[in-house]
Structure formats: structure tokens, C-alpha cells
Amino acid sequence: MTEEKETTTNESTSPSRRDFIKSGALAAAGFMIVPRFVLGGTGYTAPSDMLNIAGVGAGGKGESDIANFAKSGKANIAFLCDVDDRRAAKSRAAFPKAKYYKDWREMYDKEHKNFDAVSVSTPDHNHAIITYHAMTLGKHVYVQKPLTHDIWEARLLTEAAKKYKVVTQMGNQGASNDGTRLMSEWYDADLIGDVHTVYCWTNRPVWPQGIKWPDPQPNIPKELDWDLWLGTAPKKDYVDKLVPFNWRGWWDYGTGALGDMGCHLVEAPFRVLGIQYAKDVQASVGSVYVDEFKQGHFPESCPPSSHITLTFPKTNKTKGDVTLHWMDGGIQPERPIELGASEKWGGEEGNGTLFIGTKGKMYASTYSDAATLLPKERTASAKAPQKWARVPGGANGHYAQWVEGCIAGYGKTELSSSFEKAGPLTEALLMANLAVRGHELKGGSIKLNWDNNAMKVTNFDAVNQYIKREYRPGFELKA
């Protein structure tokens, strides 16, 4: 089921253990002599019709991802990998035949011939390195959102998907929902006119942010390999409650509220309006006061709230630039005038997307659910030709869609969130985070102008350090 791929692997791309470069090169060479009927190729389906998956990150969201792949009926969970035995326990019990590893590098070294695809569900800072090296081995990849921690990484994975001809999917399952397709059809039918403004908002963070880095703790849980958990991030002493959830609010590991929910809420504007790379961004952020008139300064932590404004250039589906507002920390846009004073609308659970056009408005909630035209009574009578095939099962079908795509082979089926789509989406969100971090560096708001080809901010160089970070020795990522 593995697609035919380039027959050489650049040694400089293998970043992990001391012998990983050597073993990775040997692995690539091994692939050159394995017969086609073993590897598969374009248009070739293995007789078993089963996709052998290695799951890196077996707890939390990884646990549910792996279970959903298995539910497709065409996936065999062949290997499990997790740095924390506690988090992996349920998946190991559910798939007792799956061989278990703690270090993904060791698993790749020893088992690369025995699986076809990799599911990556780790903290954001380790997404890219695990994914990229799976791709260089010709493995199809499913990666949790956001695709990467840094902009450079997102561009790298987008290009690598084409280079290595592997089937890819990001884990923003709402991209497979009917709602995002329905809104696209409404827009194409000119039901709301030309959209010039979009609002996306979330109740995240639902974890601590805007706080001081905790004091180190002397006792690392015996089930957790702390060094492997840190991976690409700087070496630090163990702190309590960072694992397994609260890492999201720290810049070394997470990408804040944008990383957690942006790929879900901003996907629909990308699909509906055809936007891709933003040209400028600005942000205002919530402040934290630790005493009377004494503002806290916690640069390691994401702020408690933010309002970010991105400008996207005109596309073939808009008449001009599109302004997209992102709001987190519970901040929401003004209620549309078309709603009654007490009438509920999208985002009641704290997340939503609102499109404002020259002839009307439409909105949806999390995962593009509950797509609705405004005024609401327009929704039931709306008529628009169906242009986009629906994904069986909607958001739940996001997993099976990837499994089927892997079995069919590279380029044979269209996926809802292939890296071709997920890469630019992730870049836009990470660019928005540059404005958040720039606010800290500048001591206030500034509009950042973006050169997409050069991949840098042209008017405030201080934030460019966050486009591509330094990796810890032993976990370097080199293209």
C-alpha cells in the first residue's frame, strides 16, 4: 500500500539518535530493492486491503484517532508508540497485538518495513520531525492539528507530501463535515454576495495561560520518559501538570488557542473563499496584572486572550481583500443585527465562524456544524446546486477517508485536509501567532507585513526568530 517514491533519501534529513542517519539511509536503500508487490505502487492495492498503521501518540486524541482508523474496517493497528505508559494503557489494551515502543526513532529504525502509514498525535512541537521522517520513508501520514509548531515546518511538510508522493491528512475533522461544503455552495450561488469580513472565535484557552513557569519538581513519573517528551524543545527540568494537557499554553510546546481551535474554525473560510496566505496581521492581547498597576510579564506563556486581524489578498472567489478576525479567551463578535435580542446563534458553545457578505451573512459552529443563513428563515428555503461530494459519516468519516485514500494510492482520491490544504491553513494561523508574540516584543500592537515567498516579516525582524526555531541536539529537523 505504500506509494512508489523517490529512491534516495537525503542523509541530512535524518535527525534523531546517533545512528539514525545511518540506519535511515540503509532503510531507504532497502526500499529500492523490495519488490513492487511488497511495497505497492501507483494504482496497486495489496491483496489484504488493509492499511498497517503505526500510531505515535497513543493516548488522549491519539487514542481516539487510532480507534477511529480501526473502525474503518480497513486498518490494522500494527504498532503503538508513546513516551508515557499511563497514556498508552487504553490503546495497548484495545490493540494487544500491536508492538509497543517509547521512542518513535527506534520504531522507525526497526519496523519501517512492517507498516504503511503513521498517525501522529503528540504535542505540537514534535509533529513535524515525526511526520517528516515518516514521509522520507514513504509512509502515508495523518497528523493532529495544528500541522506543525512553526511556519517553516508547515511549508516543509507541504512540499514533502508532493516530493515523496504520500497520502496526507490533518486531524481537523470538521473539514469533512457537510457544513463547510454547504456554505461553499451557498456562497458560489451568490446567496450572501461578496464576503469581505469573517469572524472566528473560541472559548479556548481552557487550560492555564498568561502565567509564570511552574517550579521544577524532583520526581518524574516512572512511566514517563521526560527527555523523549521534550523532543525538539529546549532541555528543562520536569514540571507538574504540563503533561498531558497544559503544554498547549506554553510557546516551547504548544501554539495556544489558535493552534488548538484555529484549524477547525478557519478551515471553512479557506474552503469557501479560496484564501491561502495572508499578507499582513496585527494583534491585541489580554493583560495579566499581578498587583496594583503591576503588569505580569510571562514571555514563555501564551496570553489569556487575543484579538487578531489577518488580511488575505483577493482571490478568484472574492472581489477584494478579505479581513479575518480571530478572537479567543471568550471574546466574541457583536451579535448580527439579523438576530432577535434573545435568539440563539452559532457559537453558543463558545466557538463559531461568521461570514459577512454584501447581500447577507452565514455562520456555523464548531467543526462547521449547524451551518445557517441569516436571517435564519432563509436557511430552510435556500437553493444552491450541490457542487461538492459529501464525505460519508461527515467528521467521523474523516478517518476512514484517509485510510481509503492510502489504500487507493497517492493522487487517486481527494482528501478533505491533505497537506496541500492543511499547510497554508496552518501557516496562516502560525503567522497570526507571530503578531501575538510581536505584541510582547514590541510592548504593543504593530501590523506585521508578510513576504510569503521569502517566508518572513519585512517590517519587524524580531519576530522572524519564531518562523524556524532551533532544535535540541538529537532532535534536529533538516530539509
Side-chain angles (χ1 to χ4, degrees), residues 299-321:
E300 294 175 302
S301 179
C302 309
S305 61
S306 66
H307 176 193
I308 301 162
T309 306
L310 293 137
T311 306
F312 291 89
K314 177 184 180 299
T315 74
N316 61 1
K317 299 184 74 175
T318 68
K319 293 182 179 179
D321 290 352

PDB file of all heavy atoms in Angstrom, residues 299-321:
ATOM      1  N   PRO A 299       6.779  35.801  29.198  1.00  0.00           N
ATOM      2  CA  PRO A 299       7.001  35.562  27.764  1.00  0.00           C
ATOM      3  C   PRO A 299       6.983  34.092  27.366  1.00  0.00           C
ATOM      4  O   PRO A 299       6.840  33.793  26.178  1.00  0.00           O
ATOM      5  CB  PRO A 299       8.378  36.186  27.521  1.00  0.00           C
ATOM      6  CG  PRO A 299       9.050  36.180  28.856  1.00  0.00           C
ATOM      7  CD  PRO A 299       7.955  36.402  29.851  1.00  0.00           C
ATOM      8  N   GLU A 300       7.136  33.171  28.316  1.00  0.00           N
ATOM      9  CA  GLU A 300       7.106  31.749  27.967  1.00  0.00           C
ATOM     10  C   GLU A 300       5.693  31.245  27.722  1.00  0.00           C
ATOM     11  O   GLU A 300       5.504  30.195  27.118  1.00  0.00           O
ATOM     12  CB  GLU A 300       7.742  30.926  29.089  1.00  0.00           C
ATOM     13  CG  GLU A 300       9.231  31.172  29.274  1.00  0.00           C
ATOM     14  CD  GLU A 300       9.776  30.419  30.460  1.00  0.00           C
ATOM     15  OE1 GLU A 300       9.273  30.632  31.585  1.00  0.00           O
ATOM     16  OE2 GLU A 300      10.695  29.598  30.264  1.00  0.00           O
ATOM     17  N   SER A 301       4.709  32.014  28.197  1.00  0.00           N
ATOM     18  CA  SER A 301       3.314  31.565  28.141  1.00  0.00           C
ATOM     19  C   SER A 301       2.511  32.383  27.139  1.00  0.00           C
ATOM     20  O   SER A 301       2.730  33.591  26.973  1.00  0.00           O
ATOM     21  CB  SER A 301       2.679  31.703  29.528  1.00  0.00           C
ATOM     22  OG  SER A 301       1.330  31.309  29.511  1.00  0.00           O
ATOM     23  N   CYS A 302       1.580  31.716  26.466  1.00  0.00           N
ATOM     24  CA  CYS A 302       0.631  32.423  25.598  1.00  0.00           C
ATOM     25  C   CYS A 302      -0.259  33.322  26.450  1.00  0.00           C
ATOM     26  O   CYS A 302      -0.501  33.027  27.626  1.00  0.00           O
ATOM     27  CB  CYS A 302      -0.228  31.421  24.829  1.00  0.00           C
ATOM     28  SG  CYS A 302       0.692  30.140  23.950  1.00  0.00           S
ATOM     29  N   PRO A 303      -0.787  34.415  25.897  1.00  0.00           N
ATOM     30  CA  PRO A 303      -1.632  35.322  26.682  1.00  0.00           C
ATOM     31  C   PRO A 303      -2.998  34.705  26.967  1.00  0.00           C
ATOM     32  O   PRO A 303      -3.421  33.759  26.301  1.00  0.00           O
ATOM     33  CB  PRO A 303      -1.754  36.543  25.780  1.00  0.00           C
ATOM     34  CG  PRO A 303      -1.608  36.003  24.396  1.00  0.00           C
ATOM     35  CD  PRO A 303      -0.617  34.875  24.511  1.00  0.00           C
ATOM     36  N   PRO A 304      -3.720  35.259  27.939  1.00  0.00           N
ATOM     37  CA  PRO A 304      -5.028  34.691  28.294  1.00  0.00           C
ATOM     38  C   PRO A 304      -6.106  34.917  27.240  1.00  0.00           C
ATOM     39  O   PRO A 304      -7.098  34.187  27.196  1.00  0.00           O
ATOM     40  CB  PRO A 304      -5.371  35.398  29.603  1.00  0.00           C
ATOM     41  CG  PRO A 304      -4.614  36.690  29.546  1.00  0.00           C
ATOM     42  CD  PRO A 304      -3.347  36.375  28.819  1.00  0.00           C
ATOM     43  N   SER A 305      -5.935  35.919  26.392  1.00  0.00           N
ATOM     44  CA  SER A 305      -6.923  36.199  25.338  1.00  0.00           C
ATOM     45  C   SER A 305      -6.260  37.041  24.261  1.00  0.00           C
ATOM     46  O   SER A 305      -5.236  37.690  24.499  1.00  0.00           O
ATOM     47  CB  SER A 305      -8.146  36.934  25.901  1.00  0.00           C
ATOM     48  OG  SER A 305      -7.751  38.180  26.469  1.00  0.00           O
ATOM     49  N   SER A 306      -6.860  37.025  23.076  1.00  0.00           N
ATOM     50  CA  SER A 306      -6.316  37.842  21.989  1.00  0.00           C
ATOM     51  C   SER A 306      -7.384  38.128  20.949  1.00  0.00           C
ATOM     52  O   SER A 306      -8.367  37.390  20.823  1.00  0.00           O
ATOM     53  CB  SER A 306      -5.119  37.144  21.321  1.00  0.00           C
ATOM     54  OG  SER A 306      -5.511  35.956  20.661  1.00  0.00           O
ATOM     55  N   HIS A 307      -7.178  39.203  20.224  1.00  0.00           N
ATOM     56  CA  HIS A 307      -7.976  39.552  19.037  1.00  0.00           C
ATOM     57  C   HIS A 307      -6.977  39.822  17.929  1.00  0.00           C
ATOM     58  O   HIS A 307      -6.175  40.758  18.012  1.00  0.00           O
ATOM     59  CB  HIS A 307      -8.857  40.767  19.304  1.00  0.00           C
ATOM     60  CG  HIS A 307      -9.623  41.218  18.092  1.00  0.00           C
ATOM     61  ND1 HIS A 307     -10.275  42.430  18.030  1.00  0.00           N
ATOM     62  CD2 HIS A 307      -9.854  40.627  16.892  1.00  0.00           C
ATOM     63  CE1 HIS A 307     -10.864  42.569  16.851  1.00  0.00           C
ATOM     64  NE2 HIS A 307     -10.613  41.483  16.140  1.00  0.00           N
ATOM     65  N   ILE A 308      -7.018  39.002  16.898  1.00  0.00           N
ATOM     66  CA  ILE A 308      -6.043  39.056  15.817  1.00  0.00           C
ATOM     67  C   ILE A 308      -6.770  39.365  14.516  1.00  0.00           C
ATOM     68  O   ILE A 308      -7.850  38.816  14.245  1.00  0.00           O
ATOM     69  CB  ILE A 308      -5.289  37.720  15.695  1.00  0.00           C
ATOM     70  CG1 ILE A 308      -4.581  37.413  17.022  1.00  0.00           C
ATOM     71  CG2 ILE A 308      -4.306  37.735  14.548  1.00  0.00           C
ATOM     72  CD1 ILE A 308      -4.185  35.972  17.186  1.00  0.00           C
ATOM     73  N   THR A 309      -6.184  40.219  13.694  1.00  0.00           N
ATOM     74  CA  THR A 309      -6.777  40.595  12.415  1.00  0.00           C
ATOM     75  C   THR A 309      -5.802  40.263  11.292  1.00  0.00           C
ATOM     76  O   THR A 309      -4.693  40.791  11.247  1.00  0.00           O
ATOM     77  CB  THR A 309      -7.111  42.099  12.373  1.00  0.00           C
ATOM     78  OG1 THR A 309      -7.923  42.438  13.497  1.00  0.00           O
ATOM     79  CG2 THR A 309      -7.862  42.440  11.101  1.00  0.00           C
ATOM     80  N   LEU A 310      -6.234  39.375  10.412  1.00  0.00           N
ATOM     81  CA  LEU A 310      -5.437  38.967   9.252  1.00  0.00           C
ATOM     82  C   LEU A 310      -6.058  39.533   7.987  1.00  0.00           C
ATOM     83  O   LEU A 310      -7.289  39.548   7.844  1.00  0.00           O
ATOM     84  CB  LEU A 310      -5.403  37.445   9.139  1.00  0.00           C
ATOM     85  CG  LEU A 310      -4.670  36.671  10.232  1.00  0.00           C
ATOM     86  CD1 LEU A 310      -5.473  35.446  10.633  1.00  0.00           C
ATOM     87  CD2 LEU A 310      -3.292  36.240   9.748  1.00  0.00           C
ATOM     88  N   THR A 311      -5.216  39.974   7.055  1.00  0.00           N
ATOM     89  CA  THR A 311      -5.689  40.408   5.748  1.00  0.00           C
ATOM     90  C   THR A 311      -5.227  39.420   4.690  1.00  0.00           C
ATOM     91  O   THR A 311      -4.034  39.133   4.575  1.00  0.00           O
ATOM     92  CB  THR A 311      -5.150  41.802   5.385  1.00  0.00           C
ATOM     93  OG1 THR A 311      -5.464  42.721   6.428  1.00  0.00           O
ATOM     94  CG2 THR A 311      -5.763  42.290   4.078  1.00  0.00           C
ATOM     95  N   PHE A 312      -6.191  38.888   3.932  1.00  0.00           N
ATOM     96  CA  PHE A 312      -5.891  37.944   2.853  1.00  0.00           C
ATOM     97  C   PHE A 312      -6.133  38.627   1.511  1.00  0.00           C
ATOM     98  O   PHE A 312      -7.146  39.321   1.325  1.00  0.00           O
ATOM     99  CB  PHE A 312      -6.781  36.706   2.954  1.00  0.00           C
ATOM    100  CG  PHE A 312      -6.473  35.829   4.131  1.00  0.00           C
ATOM    101  CD1 PHE A 312      -7.093  36.038   5.354  1.00  0.00           C
ATOM    102  CD2 PHE A 312      -5.553  34.793   4.021  1.00  0.00           C
ATOM    103  CE1 PHE A 312      -6.811  35.238   6.438  1.00  0.00           C
ATOM    104  CE2 PHE A 312      -5.255  33.978   5.094  1.00  0.00           C
ATOM    105  CZ  PHE A 312      -5.882  34.195   6.318  1.00  0.00           C
ATOM    106  N   PRO A 313      -5.231  38.441   0.561  1.00  0.00           N
ATOM    107  CA  PRO A 313      -5.402  39.082  -0.751  1.00  0.00           C
ATOM    108  C   PRO A 313      -6.631  38.555  -1.490  1.00  0.00           C
ATOM    109  O   PRO A 313      -7.119  37.454  -1.222  1.00  0.00           O
ATOM    110  CB  PRO A 313      -4.123  38.693  -1.504  1.00  0.00           C
ATOM    111  CG  PRO A 313      -3.158  38.230  -0.468  1.00  0.00           C
ATOM    112  CD  PRO A 313      -3.990  37.669   0.653  1.00  0.00           C
ATOM    113  N   LYS A 314      -7.105  39.348  -2.410  1.00  0.00           N
ATOM    114  CA  LYS A 314      -8.213  38.970  -3.292  1.00  0.00           C
ATOM    115  C   LYS A 314      -7.942  37.605  -3.928  1.00  0.00           C
ATOM    116  O   LYS A 314      -6.830  37.273  -4.310  1.00  0.00           O
ATOM    117  CB  LYS A 314      -8.373  40.030  -4.386  1.00  0.00           C
ATOM    118  CG  LYS A 314      -9.436  39.749  -5.426  1.00  0.00           C
ATOM    119  CD  LYS A 314      -9.416  40.824  -6.503  1.00  0.00           C
ATOM    120  CE  LYS A 314     -10.472  40.566  -7.567  1.00  0.00           C
ATOM    121  NZ  LYS A 314     -10.246  39.262  -8.268  1.00  0.00           N
ATOM    122  N   THR A 315      -8.995  36.798  -4.028  1.00  0.00           N
ATOM    123  CA  THR A 315      -8.906  35.504  -4.700  1.00  0.00           C
ATOM    124  C   THR A 315      -9.857  35.486  -5.889  1.00  0.00           C
ATOM    125  O   THR A 315     -10.570  36.466  -6.143  1.00  0.00           O
ATOM    126  CB  THR A 315      -9.290  34.355  -3.744  1.00  0.00           C
ATOM    127  OG1 THR A 315     -10.719  34.358  -3.538  1.00  0.00           O
ATOM    128  CG2 THR A 315      -8.584  34.490  -2.411  1.00  0.00           C
ATOM    129  N   ASN A 316      -9.908  34.354  -6.588  1.00  0.00           N
ATOM    130  CA  ASN A 316     -10.845  34.255  -7.708  1.00  0.00           C
ATOM    131  C   ASN A 316     -12.283  34.079  -7.232  1.00  0.00           C
ATOM    132  O   ASN A 316     -13.204  33.980  -8.052  1.00  0.00           O
ATOM    133  CB  ASN A 316     -10.449  33.115  -8.644  1.00  0.00           C
ATOM    134  CG  ASN A 316     -10.453  31.763  -7.958  1.00  0.00           C
ATOM    135  OD1 ASN A 316     -10.769  31.655  -6.770  1.00  0.00           O
ATOM    136  ND2 ASN A 316     -10.091  30.719  -8.694  1.00  0.00           N
ATOM    137  N   LYS A 317     -12.487  34.069  -5.913  1.00  0.00           N
ATOM    138  CA  LYS A 317     -13.839  33.943  -5.356  1.00  0.00           C
ATOM    139  C   LYS A 317     -14.249  35.185  -4.569  1.00  0.00           C
ATOM    140  O   LYS A 317     -15.327  35.207  -3.986  1.00  0.00           O
ATOM    141  CB  LYS A 317     -13.931  32.705  -4.471  1.00  0.00           C
ATOM    142  CG  LYS A 317     -13.644  31.405  -5.219  1.00  0.00           C
ATOM    143  CD  LYS A 317     -13.848  30.183  -4.345  1.00  0.00           C
ATOM    144  CE  LYS A 317     -15.314  29.906  -4.122  1.00  0.00           C
ATOM    145  NZ  LYS A 317     -15.532  28.640  -3.373  1.00  0.00           N
ATOM    146  N   THR A 318     -13.385  36.204  -4.522  1.00  0.00           N
ATOM    147  CA  THR A 318     -13.728  37.449  -3.832  1.00  0.00           C
ATOM    148  C   THR A 318     -13.431  38.630  -4.747  1.00  0.00           C
ATOM    149  O   THR A 318     -12.631  38.534  -5.678  1.00  0.00           O
ATOM    150  CB  THR A 318     -12.930  37.613  -2.522  1.00  0.00           C
ATOM    151  OG1 THR A 318     -11.539  37.812  -2.827  1.00  0.00           O
ATOM    152  CG2 THR A 318     -13.088  36.394  -1.629  1.00  0.00           C
ATOM    153  N   LYS A 319     -14.071  39.749  -4.455  1.00  0.00           N
ATOM    154  CA  LYS A 319     -13.866  40.937  -5.267  1.00  0.00           C
ATOM    155  C   LYS A 319     -12.759  41.833  -4.722  1.00  0.00           C
ATOM    156  O   LYS A 319     -12.358  42.795  -5.373  1.00  0.00           O
ATOM    157  CB  LYS A 319     -15.173  41.730  -5.368  1.00  0.00           C
ATOM    158  CG  LYS A 319     -16.260  40.995  -6.149  1.00  0.00           C
ATOM    159  CD  LYS A 319     -17.532  41.823  -6.266  1.00  0.00           C
ATOM    160  CE  LYS A 319     -18.587  41.076  -7.077  1.00  0.00           C
ATOM    161  NZ  LYS A 319     -19.848  41.871  -7.176  1.00  0.00           N
ATOM    162  N   GLY A 320     -12.301  41.517  -3.536  1.00  0.00           N
ATOM    163  CA  GLY A 320     -11.244  42.315  -2.915  1.00  0.00           C
ATOM    164  C   GLY A 320     -10.610  41.541  -1.784  1.00  0.00           C
ATOM    165  O   GLY A 320     -10.818  40.335  -1.625  1.00  0.00           O
ATOM    166  N   ASP A 321      -9.818  42.226  -0.989  1.00  0.00           N
ATOM    167  CA  ASP A 321      -9.186  41.597   0.167  1.00  0.00           C
ATOM    168  C   ASP A 321     -10.244  41.097   1.146  1.00  0.00           C
ATOM    169  O   ASP A 321     -11.371  41.616   1.199  1.00  0.00           O
ATOM    170  CB  ASP A 321      -8.279  42.595   0.895  1.00  0.00           C
ATOM    171  CG  ASP A 321      -7.033  42.947   0.095  1.00  0.00           C
ATOM    172  OD1 ASP A 321      -6.796  42.307  -0.960  1.00  0.00           O
ATOM    173  OD2 ASP A 321      -6.299  43.854   0.519  1.00  0.00           O
TER     174      ASP A 321
END
